[in-house]
Amino acid sequence: MTEDAYAQLRKELADLHQVLVEAALVVWTAGNVSARTGDGHFLIKPSGVPYDALTPEAMVLCDLDGRPVGDGLKPSSDVFAHAYVYRHRPDVGGVVHTHSAYATAWAARDEPIPCVLTAMADEFGGEIPVGPFALIGGADIGKGVVDTLAGHRSPAVLMRNHGVFTIGGAPRSAVKAAVMCEDVARTVHLSRQLGEPLPMEQSHVDALYDRYQNAYGQ
Amino acid sequence: MTEDAYAQLRKELADLHQVLVEAALVVWTAGNVSARTGDGHFLIKPSGVPYDALTPEAMVLCDLDGRPVGDGLKPSSDVFAHAYVYRHRPDVGGVVHTHSAYATAWAARDEPIPCVLTAMADEFGGEIPVGPFALIGGADIGKGVVDTLAGHRSPAVLMRNHGVFTIGGAPRSAVKAAVMCEDVARTVHLSRQLGEPLPMEQSHVDALYDRYQNAYGQ
Amino acid sequence: MTEDAYAQLRKELADLHQVLVEAALVVWTAGNVSARTGDGHFLIKPSGVPYDALTPEAMVLCDLDGRPVGDGLKPSSDVFAHAYVYRHRPDVGGVVHTHSAYATAWAARDEPIPCVLTAMADEFGGEIPVGPFALIGGADIGKGVVDTLAGHRSPAVLMRNHGVFTIGGAPRSAVKAAVMCEDVARTVHLSRQLGEPLPMEQSHVDALYDRYQNAYGQ
Amino acid sequence: MTEDAYAQLRKELADLHQVLVEAALVVWTAGNVSARTGDGHFLIKPSGVPYDALTPEAMVLCDLDGRPVGDGLKPSSDVFAHAYVYRHRPDVGGVVHTHSAYATAWAARDEPIPCVLTAMADEFGGEIPVGPFALIGGADIGKGVVDTLAGHRSPAVLMRNHGVFTIGGAPRSAVKAAVMCEDVARTVHLSRQLGEPLPMEQSHVDALYDRYQNAYGQ
């Protein structure tokens, strides 16, 4: 990758963290975005740095084992989870982690979000599943993310008692999945508070997912 | 229509999308406004374009069958629903679609919002009804909107498992209905969480609706 | 009153409407503030004017029967309620009306907000009561407000199926009561969702109210 | 302390109040931050002053009995609670008090927030406990805060029917604890609304707390 391409990716990554802040998916320093580079590495948020201090230069370059490359800040403590995803999912260009409130509320109950909205069928193609409980710091979280998503169309997974991980072909797609995940987590939560949302037919879910993935947008 | 009138309508339409954003009725690219032109067409949001990139020029001109006219971006995938409404409701000058959370929570349960607030009587003249489930892409959603609203004073309809459509004599009135719909959906939801809101007498609803529609404002 | 004093009061009134907007107590045009003048009149929001178009000059001067004085816009349709309060409560210098969501949710159930928070004891000195249902346009709402508040320390009353009215010695105090009313309506609502908030002893409520009214502030 | 160090601490304290406002933990004038000085005093918010009028100079210097030193505004009516904490906890450099809604909702039920989220284990090392009811104005609140926190790792305590107090080695750490307290209070509340969040094993809580306190950040 050229220096220009690196600079652009660092800026995009900094900007995407602001999207998380504006969408109210993160508080203080809890939540991070990473982006795969074109040369076998990835960039990720530094550990414990507040969002309003996140410059493009602050982003930490790591190899696919999660080890920082060169000088710079310490990477997010979720770095090994991100690295695991990049190693095992070559189609993934971006990973997002948040503790967004409604999605995490489902995760704390170990309960997947059922697909009862057309917007869920569009983006997630079915339920948003729950992955296992795992401690931070090793490969366990990353393995839980990859193994759980393997059985689903969803680019989002709720990690038990913890929060949300989303993936995308590009970092911006992973951020979109994080935003939509919290939005549907909230709407289905609200609907369930006063009764039972109606289920959707699988053929409708399939049709909506197919159209949204293939015909939507420019 | 003169070029100036077109430019003004395009700008109004872009501004009204910002009103949806500021009122937190939409996330990412989900939600759209359209406006009937003075010469048998309508303008609508392009598909999949983020709200902060929505310039007046980006709005897509379509005929009443929902087909784009001239060059430009691809219209919203809801274009056929808007087109159906304009064909069958000559009184309608603007249409809005959102997935606003509280209203969509009622829609997912297939449950109309009962008229238990003076503000609902004012703007909606009774309950906000639920329309049928329908897939995106053909005339079904538009037909569901028009048929359901035919039996109600309400300018808003909740489409099952989907979201909200609102209509108005002018685009701004449709946006107002979308804002008020989410506001009353939320207040009645909150009230129902801890008990049963008291019903209102039909004669009171009628009196409030009549005054608000005919005497309110400048 | 001098022209300068009038100009200052008009500006204060316009600014206080922005406080309602920033505190998210109002949407679109629903909600208003009025201020008693020094010469037997009051100023009030014009009917149906959006908050971002509310200039100081737009405020409407009315006599104590609620009739506009001189040229200018049509006053809020709640003008007779405000006028009734000013006629019957010479101690009141400002009146606020909102449909803020949590408070209105209690109002729709005809249920007073119990005093279970020190912040409620401070500002309201006990429960926030509910007044009767009344139609807009005559003296009924104003009479409901005045009669209900007569038996309480609270500067806020929830009008059944409608919304909130608050009063204050000055317009800013009435706005403060409206902000605090929604805040405690929300907190007690949240507390009740998962159980029963503990009652407070009357002697504690009395002590807190006394201190806050007499010793708090500069 | 030099005049420069004082000026810097006053500015930091004013800025931290804005953090409370931006995180929506406080309304009107309810909520305050204090900061221990390097010479046996502390600075605290003045009583009843709105957040947008809080200049660095407005902060009130007090001795460790809570008595203002020199000229200036009257200190927060919570001054004696802050003073008690500083006298009995030499490790504490900052104290925060709020009525943030979700946390106060737990406090009103006299119910601690159970540790069911990794983010809670990280910051609080276990449950967030509830302290006793106490009237404002003497040592009771401060004693309740100190005694309750003595038995917990948590830097946050919910005071019954009242609100939240948090402590930190530095004022910014106490503000962080206040922000995280409301965030987890909300997420666990949401989770409980639709069922029971799963408990976490004590060994996991211990491991997460240890890592976050010792390895997280730069």
Side-chain angles (χ1 to χ4, degrees):
Chain A
M1 270 173 82
T2 64
E3 250 180 72
D4 266 14
Y6 258 112
Q8 199 174 333
L9 193 60
R10 283 178 177 277
K11 173 156 191 342
E12 184 189 349
L13 197 53
D15 290 347
L16 287 172
H17 281 92
Q18 295 312 315
V19 175
L20 295 189
V21 172
E22 281 158 30
L25 303 195
V26 293
V27 297
W28 214 257
T29 63
N32 41 69
V33 190
S34 68
R36 194 196 288 268
T37 67
D39 54 7
H41 294 78
F42 66 96
L43 288 161
I44 190 168
K45 179 182 179 293
S47 182
V49 175
Y51 296 106
D52 58 8
L54 272 190
T55 59
E57 296 71 35
M59 300 300 157
V60 186
L61 187 66
C62 296
D63 67 22
L64 293 190
D65 289 319
R67 281 180 303 232
V69 173
D71 298 337
L73 298 171
K74 215 166 79 182
S76 162
S77 58
D78 296 304
V79 68
F80 299 114
H82 291 249
Y84 188 98
V85 175
Y86 288 119
R87 283 203 307 280
H88 292 80
R89 289 284 303 255
D91 59 316
V92 167
V95 177
V96 173
H97 173 50
T98 80
H99 300 158
S100 67
Y102 282 90
T104 302
W106 291 89
R109 287 192 311 271
D110 196 10
E111 188 175 356
I113 309 175
C115 184
V116 295
L117 302 171
T118 58
M120 273 193 82
D122 287 349
E123 175 74 16
F124 301 97
E127 70 169 21
I128 298 176
V130 186
F133 181 84
L135 286 177
I136 293 177
D140 289 355
I141 292 182
K143 185 166 165 25
V145 169
V146 168
D147 290 356
T148 307
L149 290 182
H152 293 81
R153 288 166 171 163
S154 169
V157 54
L158 313 175
M159 295 301 283
R160 215 193 85 183
N161 293 106
H162 184 173
V164 181
F165 279 83
T166 62
I167 58 174
R172 187 173 167 84
S173 312
V175 170
K176 181 191 181 188
V179 170
M180 298 307 291
C181 177
E182 180 65 4
D183 192 54
V184 301
R186 179 173 172 235
T187 301
V188 181
H189 176 101
L190 294 174
S191 194
R192 278 270 304 273
Q193 286 190 308
L194 299 180
E196 271 305 316
L198 299 193
M200 289 173 70
E201 289 181 29
Q202 187 61 42
S203 64
H204 290 159
V205 173
D206 292 347
L208 287 164
Y209 182 69
D210 178 65
R211 186 199 60 83
Y212 192 76
Q213 299 298 322
N214 298 312
Y216 186 84
Q218 298 299 323
Chain B
M1 269 173 82
T2 64
E3 251 181 68
D4 266 15
Y6 258 112
Q8 198 174 334
L9 193 60
R10 282 178 178 278
K11 173 157 190 342
E12 185 189 348
L13 197 53
D15 290 348
L16 287 172
H17 282 92
Q18 296 310 317
V19 175
L20 295 190
V21 172
E22 281 159 30
L25 302 195
V26 292
V27 297
W28 215 256
T29 63
N32 41 69
V33 190
S34 68
R36 195 196 288 268
T37 66
D39 53 8
H41 294 78
F42 66 96
L43 288 162
I44 190 168
K45 179 181 180 294
S47 181
V49 175
Y51 295 106
D52 57 8
L54 272 190
T55 58
E57 295 72 35
M59 300 300 157
V60 186
L61 187 66
C62 296
D63 66 22
L64 293 189
D65 289 319
R67 283 180 302 232
V69 173
D71 297 336
L73 298 170
K74 216 167 79 182
S76 162
S77 58
D78 296 304
V79 68
F80 299 114
H82 291 249
Y84 188 98
V85 175
Y86 288 120
R87 284 203 307 279
H88 291 82
R89 289 284 303 253
D91 58 315
V92 167
V95 177
V96 172
H97 173 50
T98 80
H99 300 158
S100 66
Y102 282 91
T104 302
W106 291 89
R109 287 192 312 271
D110 197 10
E111 188 176 355
I113 309 175
C115 184
V116 295
L117 302 172
T118 57
M120 271 193 83
D122 287 350
E123 174 72 16
F124 301 96
E127 71 170 19
I128 297 177
V130 187
F133 180 83
L135 287 177
I136 293 177
D140 288 357
I141 292 182
K143 186 166 165 27
V145 169
V146 168
D147 290 357
T148 308
L149 290 182
H152 292 82
R153 287 166 172 164
S154 169
V157 54
L158 313 175
M159 295 301 283
R160 215 192 85 184
N161 293 106
H162 185 171
V164 181
F165 279 84
T166 62
I167 58 173
R172 188 172 167 83
S173 311
V175 170
K176 181 191 180 188
V179 170
M180 299 306 292
C181 177
E182 181 64 4
D183 191 54
V184 300
R186 180 174 172 233
T187 302
V188 181
H189 176 101
L190 294 173
S191 194
R192 277 270 303 273
Q193 286 190 308
L194 298 181
E196 272 305 315
L198 299 192
M200 291 173 69
E201 289 181 28
Q202 187 60 44
S203 64
H204 291 159
V205 173
D206 293 345
L208 288 164
Y209 183 68
D210 178 64
R211 185 199 60 81
Y212 192 74
Q213 300 298 322
N214 299 311
Y216 186 83
Q218 298 299 323
Chain C
M1 269 172 84
T2 64
E3 251 181 70
D4 266 14
Y6 259 111
Q8 199 175 333
L9 193 60
R10 283 177 176 278
K11 173 157 189 344
E12 184 190 348
L13 197 52
D15 290 348
L16 287 173
H17 282 91
Q18 296 311 317
V19 175
L20 295 190
V21 171
E22 280 159 30
L25 303 194
V26 292
V27 295
W28 215 256
T29 62
N32 41 69
V33 189
S34 68
R36 195 196 288 267
T37 67
D39 53 8
H41 294 78
F42 66 96
L43 287 161
I44 191 168
K45 179 181 179 293
S47 181
V49 175
Y51 295 106
D52 58 9
L54 271 191
T55 59
E57 295 71 35
M59 300 300 158
V60 186
L61 186 66
C62 296
D63 67 23
L64 292 189
D65 290 319
R67 282 180 303 231
V69 173
D71 298 337
L73 297 171
K74 217 166 80 181
S76 161
S77 58
D78 296 304
V79 68
F80 299 115
H82 290 249
Y84 188 98
V85 175
Y86 288 119
R87 283 202 307 278
H88 292 81
R89 289 284 302 254
D91 57 316
V92 167
V95 176
V96 173
H97 173 49
T98 80
H99 300 157
S100 67
Y102 282 90
T104 302
W106 291 89
R109 287 193 311 271
D110 197 9
E111 188 175 355
I113 308 174
C115 185
V116 294
L117 303 171
T118 57
M120 270 193 84
D122 287 349
E123 174 74 16
F124 301 98
E127 71 169 20
I128 298 176
V130 186
F133 180 84
L135 287 176
I136 293 176
D140 288 356
I141 292 182
K143 184 165 165 28
V145 168
V146 168
D147 290 356
T148 308
L149 291 181
H152 293 81
R153 286 165 173 164
S154 169
V157 54
L158 313 175
M159 295 301 283
R160 216 193 84 185
N161 293 104
H162 184 170
V164 180
F165 279 84
T166 62
I167 58 174
R172 188 173 166 82
S173 312
V175 169
K176 181 190 180 189
V179 170
M180 299 305 292
C181 177
E182 181 64 4
D183 191 55
V184 300
R186 179 175 172 231
T187 302
V188 181
H189 176 100
L190 294 173
S191 193
R192 277 270 305 273
Q193 286 189 307
L194 298 180
E196 272 306 315
L198 299 192
M200 292 173 68
E201 288 181 30
Q202 187 60 42
S203 64
H204 290 159
V205 173
D206 292 347
L208 288 164
Y209 183 70
D210 178 63
R211 186 199 60 83
Y212 192 75
Q213 300 298 323
N214 299 312
Y216 186 83
Q218 299 299 324
Chain D
M1 270 172 83
T2 64
E3 249 180 71
D4 266 13
Y6 258 112
Q8 199 174 334
L9 193 59
R10 284 177 175 277
K11 172 155 190 345
E12 184 190 349
L13 196 53
D15 291 347
L16 288 172
H17 281 90
Q18 295 311 315
V19 175
L20 295 190
V21 172
E22 281 159 30
L25 303 194
V26 292
V27 296
W28 214 256
T29 63
N32 41 69
V33 189
S34 69
R36 194 195 288 268
T37 67
D39 54 8
H41 294 78
F42 66 96
L43 287 161
I44 191 168
K45 179 181 179 292
S47 180
V49 174
Y51 295 106
D52 58 8
L54 272 190
T55 59
E57 295 73 35
M59 300 299 158
V60 186
L61 186 67
C62 296
D63 67 24
L64 292 189
D65 290 319
R67 281 180 304 232
V69 173
D71 297 336
L73 297 170
K74 217 166 79 181
S76 162
S77 58
D78 296 304
V79 68
F80 298 114
H82 291 248
Y84 188 97
V85 174
Y86 288 119
R87 284 203 307 278
H88 292 81
R89 289 284 302 255
D91 58 317
V92 168
V95 177
V96 173
H97 172 50
T98 80
H99 300 158
S100 67
Y102 282 91
T104 303
W106 290 89
R109 287 194 309 271
D110 197 11
E111 188 176 355
I113 308 175
C115 184
V116 294
L117 302 171
T118 57
M120 270 193 84
D122 287 349
E123 175 73 17
F124 301 97
E127 71 169 20
I128 299 177
V130 185
F133 180 84
L135 286 176
I136 293 176
D140 289 355
I141 292 182
K143 185 166 167 23
V145 169
V146 168
D147 290 356
T148 307
L149 291 181
H152 293 81
R153 288 165 172 164
S154 169
V157 54
L158 313 175
M159 295 301 282
R160 215 193 83 184
N161 294 105
H162 184 172
V164 180
F165 278 83
T166 63
I167 59 174
R172 188 172 166 84
S173 313
V175 170
K176 181 190 181 189
V179 170
M180 298 306 291
C181 177
E182 181 65 4
D183 192 53
V184 300
R186 179 174 172 233
T187 302
V188 181
H189 176 101
L190 294 174
S191 194
R192 278 270 306 273
Q193 286 189 307
L194 298 181
E196 270 307 314
L198 299 192
M200 291 173 69
E201 288 181 30
Q202 187 59 43
S203 64
H204 290 158
V205 173
D206 292 347
L208 288 163
Y209 182 70
D210 178 63
R211 185 198 59 82
Y212 191 76
Q213 300 298 323
N214 299 311
Y216 186 83
Q218 298 298 326

